[in-house]
């Protein structure tokens, strides 16, 4: 039972992280880094404000993750072409 609880928690953490990234992608692309708050990202993601600190350290860390994912997507598209 303890392992199931740990796995469930890990799964929830990954889902929260993914929702935060998706919300950040949308908001940053619409308004840019400076015009988006952590609170707005968390509201859009249905996550607690402290989850940004837990997963990414801060707003800049989340932004860095978004940029890294965008670069990886562009590299994949270039390689496929």
């Amino acid at each position: 039972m303890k392992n199931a609880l740990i796995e469930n928690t890990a799964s929830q953490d990954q889902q929260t992280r993914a929702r935060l990234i998706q919300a950040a992608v949308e908001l940053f692309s619409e308004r840019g880094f400076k015009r988006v708050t952590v609170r707005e990202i968390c509201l859009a993601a249905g996550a607690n404000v402290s989850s940004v600190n837990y997963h990414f350290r801060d707003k800049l860390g989340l932004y860095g993750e978004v940029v890294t994912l965008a670069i990886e997507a562009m590299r994949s598209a270039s390689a496929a072409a």
Side-chain angles (χ1 to χ4, degrees), residues 71-81:
I71 289 169
E72 289 173 4
M74 286 187 286
R75 284 184 180 154
S76 294
S78 291

Side-chain angles (χ1 to χ4, degrees), residues 17 21 56 60-70 72:
R17 187 177 194 281
I21 290 170
F56 306 102
L60 186 58
L62 175 55
Y63 186 74
E65 182 70 20
V66 168
V67 170
T68 298
L69 291 172
E72 289 173 4

Side-chain angles (χ1 to χ4, degrees), residues 7-29:
E7 288 176 14
N8 187 37
T9 301
S11 175
Q12 288 175 344
D13 280 352
Q14 290 305 314
Q15 291 172 6
T16 300
R17 187 177 194 281
R19 288 194 321 270
L20 287 167
I21 290 170
Q22 184 59 43
V25 165
E26 293 171 13
L27 291 170
F28 287 147
S29 67

